[in-house]
Amino acid sequence: MKIALFPGSFDPVTKAHVDILKRSISLFDKVVIGIGINSTKQALLSIEARKKMLEAVFADEPKVEIQTYSGLTVDFCKQLGANYMIRGIRTVSDFEYEKAIAQMNHALVPEIESIFIVSKPGYSSISSTIVRDILRNKGDISQFVPKEVLEFI
């Protein structure tokens, strides 16, 4: 069984996240969305709210499972039996950052391959960080997030 992990903070999940995940589903038997607990980031939404958001967004996708984790992402991959890690690339700087992480992950666990999926042009400017900033300043985020997310915000 080909299992992939799509890790991230998903704070909140954006249309760009959804696009990357939907485009990756056909490549694998199962895709686990791993909501990482990152102690260095100040989360806007609770881990429980993020999990519920993702469950609502992907309710009709039988190959998608949502879990939370802490610690090294490669260790979580091993725990899941996932040999692939999906990462979305929006910009050249994303690529440089993700390449460095992929190389470190490969050094730690050579069996895990990082799969980079380039975002569609219309989504390249959407990030959770920018969406959080819009939210903090009372702006309208509806064009950047799936409709299911709006009921959690």
Side-chain angles (χ1 to χ4, degrees):
M1 178 180 247
K2 287 195 313 190
I3 302 170
L5 172 66
F6 183 31
S9 59
F10 306 101
D11 187 30
V13 63
T14 68
K15 287 182 177 179
H17 291 126
V18 173
D19 174 61
I20 296 295
L21 187 96
K22 285 191 173 188
R23 290 167 51 212
S24 68
I25 288 174
S26 66
L27 303 172
F28 304 100
D29 299 309
K30 178 166 90 171
V31 177
V32 177
I33 299 173
I35 308 167
I37 301 168
N38 187 336
S39 60
T40 64
K41 284 186 178 179
Q42 179 63 35
L44 177 70
L45 302 167
S46 71
I47 197 91
E48 296 82 14
R50 289 181 270 162
K51 187 170 192 269
K52 286 179 183 173
M53 267 192 303
L54 285 160
E55 288 169 345
V57 171
F58 294 105
D60 296 331
E61 291 291 350
K63 290 170 67 174
V64 174
E65 182 179 306
I66 293 100
Q67 293 191 34
T68 62
Y69 74 98
S70 60
L72 291 176
T73 303
V74 289
D75 289 342
F76 187 54
C77 278
K78 288 193 305 189
Q79 179 186 327
L80 296 169
N83 288 324
Y84 306 93
M85 194 180 310
I86 301 164
R87 300 301 296 164
I89 303 289
R90 295 171 297 149
T91 63
V92 171
S93 60
D94 277 357
F95 174 74
E96 290 297 329
Y97 176 75
E98 294 295 344
K99 180 181 80 158
I101 291 174
Q103 289 170 331
M104 294 303 289
N105 286 341
H106 188 72
L108 293 169
V109 184
E111 308 80 59
I112 297 173
E113 290 293 340
S114 294
I115 309 295
F116 297 147
I117 298 180
V118 177
S119 73
K120 290 183 179 175
Y123 296 130
S124 65
S125 63
I126 301 174
S127 73
S128 292
T129 302
I130 293 171
V131 170
R132 283 193 306 272
D133 194 43
I134 294 168
L135 272 173
R136 285 188 187 103
N137 290 287
K138 311 287 189 251
D140 179 12
I141 62 163
S142 60
Q143 64 183 313
F144 308 116
V145 299
K147 65 182 180 326
E148 296 88 349
V149 169
L150 297 173
E151 59 193 72
F152 291 91
I153 307 265

